[in-house]
Amino acid sequence: MSTSFSIIAILYQARWYIASALFASYLAQNFRVYRRLSHVKGPWLAQFSDAWLLGVIYRQRAHHEFYSVKKKFGNLARIGPNTLITCDIDQVTRMNAPRSPYVRSDWYLGFRLAPGIDNVFSMRDEKAHAKRRAQMNLGYTGKENINFEPQIDIHVLNFIDLIQRKYISTYPEMKVMDLAQKAQYFTIDVITDLATGAPFGDLATDSDQHDYLRTTMEAQPAFVMIGSVPSVNKFIQIPFIGKRLFPTAEDEIGMGKMIGIAQEKVAERFDPMRRLKIEKPDILQSFINHNLTQEETVSESLLLILGGSDTTASVIRATMLCILTSPQAYCTLQAEIDAATLSSPVVRDEEARKLVYLQAVILEGLRMHPPTGGLLSKVTPPEGDTINGVFVPGGVNIATNTWALMRSENVFGPDVDCFRPERWLNVSEAKYADMARVVDMTFGSGRFKCLGRTIAWIELNKIFVELLRNFDWAVVDPTNPWKSANLGIIVHREFYVRVTKRVVQE
Ligand code: HEM
């Protein structure tokens, strides 16, 4: 018998010992991981395995389940062998603060839009991230003489026009409109316009151009699951493998089509002949002027589209649902809009900022329904940290429980689960500022704060005014108003409404 055969025979005879040894080492390893954080309580299965977290993500209701975890286990709880979740305002502020020793976790890797290529949201190296943010901050905030308003106004008007053309119900004729879909048509048109200067035109055509929304929605659940398992995530980032899984510019529809458009629009800017013709400052040009390479500019313009459409659409839908199901808020807001002297056909951002009740409605909408439902986890520094009086060793993922954070009773009062814009009225300046600071954390905070916040606020300031000054609204089935799913961002579909033309009483 040859040597190799005899080794195989020995291994075969010892197979049960080997299997037992491997299993014992697996248990010992898990026990070690379990022990490290055994002093932090959480759901039983989460102490030993990521299966609990994967189950939560799979059910697409993570924000509700994390809120239940907070109610049961307190502000700091364990949701995975190496993952804790917090809704402590000071802890979240501290993790995200400039010069904090916390870094972004592997979770952010899932936001690479092409294998191996980072964007500002997926970057985990803090030096590189800070540099990229600095290169893009002026473009995003409009501080380089970029005026977002006229571009956004065009799409607000397209939205109004679409409703007037196709969706005004007059009894007995009912023309049901899916507000979930139209809100996203609006935000995608705004953001593709800002990102590439070539709006998709979803509102004008009343259709999902390039099947972008359908295909990204279909792909998102798988990406969210993969993003939550760092080892799988790292595997698909290997270019050879990722190339077969990620969309590419050659695709005719969906994200791939978007990549193609972004590449083309960015290439035009890098073409020395065409470069001279860019007269109007815009975000893309600002990125380029701050030395982003062609590949980086494509990557960032895609992130702009991905980060800027679902989020704002989610807030528009949720706030509209809150308004339509709260008669007092609906009437008070419409009365405030009617009584104010506002520009026409689209309210100006600075005018909307002065509408006290509108601001209360938007802040309350963001509070009730923060759109980001993902972990946003940061990693404790190597020396560990003490959180809420509990020592947490280094290298542990600390996720943010945004839904619970927005329901902090010590900040907002005992009725946190209720949409009540009045909580923002007749309070001291200090109280208002305190509540507003926490709601602003829906946009993240510190060195990771959302770069698109200015743009989102302009959209929000305009859209509710124009939807309520031009139309009256009713939810078609208030007992089952929409279907919602947490896909990292909380998305909705089938939000059917009945829209009628407004008859304003003088
Ligand atoms: C209401 C709407 C929005 C909300 C609630 C929101 C929320 C957030 C949150 C929570 C983060 C991550 C913070 C973290 O990593 O800890 C973020 C990052 C980001 N958002 Fe938004 N966002 C919104 C709209 C937008 C829009 C409209 C754009 C683009 C125009 C945008 C672009 C970005 C970018 C580029 C980042 C990455 C910033 C960085 O990593 O430094 N967002 N956003």
Side-chain angles (χ1 to χ4, degrees):
M1 209 165 31
S2 74
T3 327
S4 56
F5 264 117
S6 56
I7 292 172
I8 291 170
I10 293 166
L11 287 176
Y12 184 76
Q13 275 172 10
R15 65 192 185 281
W16 293 114
Y17 295 107
I18 295 170
S20 307
L22 286 175
F23 188 60
S25 126
Y26 170 77
L27 285 182
Q29 167 90 6
N30 267 18
F31 186 68
R32 248 201 357 260
V33 175
Y34 158 75
R35 276 281 301 275
R36 262 184 109 212
L37 294 170
S38 61
H39 53 298
V40 187
K41 300 298 165 222
W44 180 84
L45 182 59
Q47 321 277 317
F48 307 97
S49 150
D50 279 321
W52 183 86
L53 188 54
L54 284 174
V56 165
I57 291 164
Y58 178 75
R59 289 190 288 279
Q60 303 184 347
R61 287 174 38 84
H63 50 300
H64 292 300
E65 301 200 31
F66 293 158
Y67 188 34
S68 301
V69 164
K70 184 255 162 171
K71 285 182 180 165
K72 194 162 176 197
F73 300 103
N75 277 1
L76 186 70
R78 188 176 194 182
I79 55 166
N82 195 41
T83 306
L84 308 182
I85 192 162
T86 179
C87 59
D88 183 283
I89 296 160
D90 294 335
Q91 173 59 21
V92 177
T93 310
R94 217 157 55 80
M95 285 195 297
N96 295 344
R99 290 181 290 283
S100 161
Y102 279 78
V103 290
R104 276 178 163 167
S105 71
D106 286 348
W107 179 81
Y108 283 88
L109 268 183
F111 292 86
R112 281 183 177 168
L113 306 175
I117 297 175
D118 265 315
N119 55 62
V120 72
F121 193 67
S122 67
M123 279 177 167
R124 292 160 60 234
D125 176 78
E126 193 35 39
K127 257 197 181 147
H129 172 249
K131 179 173 173 226
R132 182 68 62 87
R133 256 184 94 90
Q135 286 174 297
M136 304 203 309
N137 191 36
L138 294 176
Y140 262 112
T141 49
K143 286 189 181 136
E144 279 190 328
N145 204 18
I146 305 171
N147 190 354
F148 300 125
E149 277 202 75
Q151 257 167 304
I152 294 177
D153 285 356
I154 291 171
H155 304 293
V156 173
L157 286 173
N158 283 344
F159 199 169
I160 303 301
D161 179 59
L162 172 64
I163 298 173
Q164 274 164 349
R165 277 191 290 118
K166 287 186 69 175
Y167 293 104
I168 296 291
S169 288
T170 42
Y171 186 78
E173 195 188 11
M174 172 122 145
K175 294 183 178 172
V176 172
M177 183 176 93
D178 181 357
L179 182 57
Q181 186 189 56
K182 307 310 171 211
Q184 185 129 37
Y185 286 0
F186 167 65
T187 56
I188 200 79
D189 276 356
V190 167
I191 222 71
T192 47
D193 196 359
L194 294 177
T196 65
F200 268 10
D202 282 9
L203 286 169
T205 56
D206 196 15
S207 65
D208 173 15
Q209 292 290 295
H210 316 302
D211 274 343
Y212 174 80
L213 302 175
R214 182 182 64 77
T215 50
T216 43
M217 184 85 135
E218 280 170 7
Q220 227 160 318
F223 270 93
V224 174
M225 292 293 284
I226 290 169
S228 308
V229 190
S231 48
V232 181
N233 205 350
K234 277 184 186 144
F235 180 68
I236 68 161
Q237 294 296 333
I238 299 169
F240 172 74
I241 294 156
K243 263 188 191 149
R244 283 157 180 76
L245 297 172
F246 280 79
T248 70
E250 282 70 47
D251 298 348
E252 284 299 318
I253 56 169
M255 186 67 190
K257 179 75 186 175
M258 187 63 242
I259 295 172
I261 295 173
Q263 283 180 350
E264 187 191 315
K265 294 290 160 193
V266 170
E268 284 175 8
R269 305 289 181 110
F270 277 83
D271 176 346
M273 297 304 288
R274 301 216 191 171
R275 215 169 168 162
L276 301 173
K277 293 187 198 141
I278 306 293
E279 285 150 16
K280 244 179 6 149
D282 61 10
I283 304 189
L284 215 54
Q285 201 52 44
S286 167
F287 292 171
I288 297 166
N289 294 347
H290 288 93
N291 303 321
L292 256 64
T293 64
Q294 188 162 345
E295 189 181 60
E296 288 165 354
T297 311
V298 172
S299 174
E300 296 299 350
S301 74
L302 288 169
L303 174 73
L304 207 159
I305 293 163
L306 218 77
S309 59
D310 275 342
T311 44
T312 319
S314 180
V315 180
I316 293 173
R317 297 167 187 142
T319 309
M320 279 301 279
L321 181 61
C322 289
I323 297 170
L324 303 193
T325 50
S326 313
Q328 188 180 336
Y330 187 138
C331 296
T332 313
L333 179 57
Q334 222 171 28
E336 181 184 61
I337 294 167
D338 290 347
T341 310
L342 305 173
S343 299
S344 188
V346 182
V347 63
R348 290 194 49 73
D349 182 51
E350 60 169 347
E351 295 166 345
R353 280 171 202 269
K354 291 183 191 137
L355 298 179
V356 177
Y357 199 78
L358 172 72
Q359 295 305 308
V361 164
I362 299 175
L363 286 164
E364 191 67 355
L366 278 164
R367 187 190 71 76
M368 282 299 289
H369 196 286
T372 46
L375 298 177
L376 303 173
S377 42
K378 314 293 180 319
V379 184
T380 51
E383 67 277 16
D385 191 16
T386 302
I387 305 175
N388 300 146
V390 174
F391 178 74
V392 178
V396 173
N397 299 325
I398 312 287
T400 298
N401 196 341
T402 311
W403 199 264
L405 194 70
M406 294 305 136
R407 284 159 174 73
S408 302
E409 292 186 8
N410 54 341
V411 179
F412 299 106
D415 59 347
V416 285
D417 291 319
C418 172
F419 176 79
R420 193 173 63 83
E422 283 67 24
R423 81 177 74 246
W424 297 86
L425 309 178
N426 303 321
V427 288
S428 69
E429 256 181 52
K431 182 68 191 166
Y432 191 99
D434 190 32
M435 293 196 294
R437 180 179 76 88
V438 178
V439 168
D440 205 36
M441 289 167 82
T442 51
F443 291 96
S445 62
R447 63 207 152 114
F448 304 117
K449 191 165 192 121
C450 173
L451 283 166
R453 182 178 170 278
T454 311
I455 294 170
W457 264 102
I458 299 176
E459 290 179 76
L460 298 175
N461 275 335
K462 288 174 187 277
I463 201 68
F464 301 115
V465 171
E466 297 313 333
L467 293 182
L468 283 144
R469 119 159 126 172
N470 287 287
F471 309 108
D472 267 321
W473 299 79
V475 179
V476 170
D477 181 359
T479 62
N480 185 22
W482 65 17
K483 296 197 167 48
S484 86
N486 186 339
L487 305 179
I489 291 168
I490 303 164
V491 296
H492 317 93
R493 58 195 167 83
E494 297 169 36
F495 179 12
Y496 296 121
V497 291
R498 178 176 183 271
V499 194
T500 47
K501 226 181 190 126
R502 274 201 76 199
V503 183
V504 183
Q505 311 283 342
E506 290 299 323

